[in-house]
Amino acid sequence: PALHVSCEHTLMMRWLIPRVPDFHLRCPDIYIQLSAGGGPAELNTDADLAIRRNDFAWPPHWQAARLFAERTGPVCLTAKSAQMTRLDVRGNLQLAPGTTLLHTRTRPDAWPVWSRLAGISLTEPTSRELEHFYFSIQAAVAGLGMSIGPWLLVRDDCESGVLHAPFGFIEDGSAYYLLTKKDFEAESPTGIFYHWLLEQEKS
């Protein structure tokens, strides 16, 4: 059988696609067809399943299985991390003056939310705005500044040493869910895919 999965653009590009070969290796009888999308999805028309952050209200008759919490934190090119951070007089890590903050139009509150949760003030003499998280993360990889990075979107680059997260990651109160009109029975294709997703977040 085939499962048509709609996933938010950057999450699909930076986290899901690199892991789908593992699913096909484990479950060769289930083919995953991916499409990019955000916000409400037309389940059973556009897709069988949708992976979405809970930043909108979905219909009450949909089934929603929680996947993982959203955790965010500033990330920058590892080689430039020392230039973009400093210790204050109390020895607390802060953003260095002059650090370029990379914003994204798709989630303009990302920096303010992180600042509030982390208790770190933003001094922003320089900033750049990009359209999507993917572009702001790539700009960070290029050394153009510091981006807010959701953990799943920057995990591979952080683990490889390309990016550094000097402040770590903080849960922002939102989460990703797997949405469907189908069942989540353990042995159904939907159930198998759901449990595989849970494994990928933890591994």
Side-chain angles (χ1 to χ4, degrees), residues 7-21 34 51 67-68 134 150-156 176 193-194 196-203:
C7 183
E8 294 187 357
H9 296 71
T10 309
L11 184 66
M12 184 178 80
M13 184 182 301
R14 293 189 61 88
W15 183 75
L16 184 56
I17 286 177
R19 289 163 174 78
V20 165
L34 297 173
I51 300 173
L67 292 173
F68 29 77
Y134 176 74
W151 165 239
L152 290 180
L153 306 188
V154 298
R155 171 180 172 176
D156 293 343
Y176 283 94
F193 183 66
Y194 167 58
W196 175 82
L197 286 172
L198 294 179
E199 288 181 22
Q200 298 311 301
E201 194 271 339
K202 295 175 183 176
S203 61

Side-chain angles (χ1 to χ4, degrees), residues 94-95 101 103 110-116 120-125:
Q94 302 288 339
L95 292 167
L101 303 187
H103 294 266
W111 271 108
V113 168
W114 174 82
S115 173
R116 174 176 54 81
I120 294 175
S121 61
L122 300 179
T123 56
E124 194 173 358

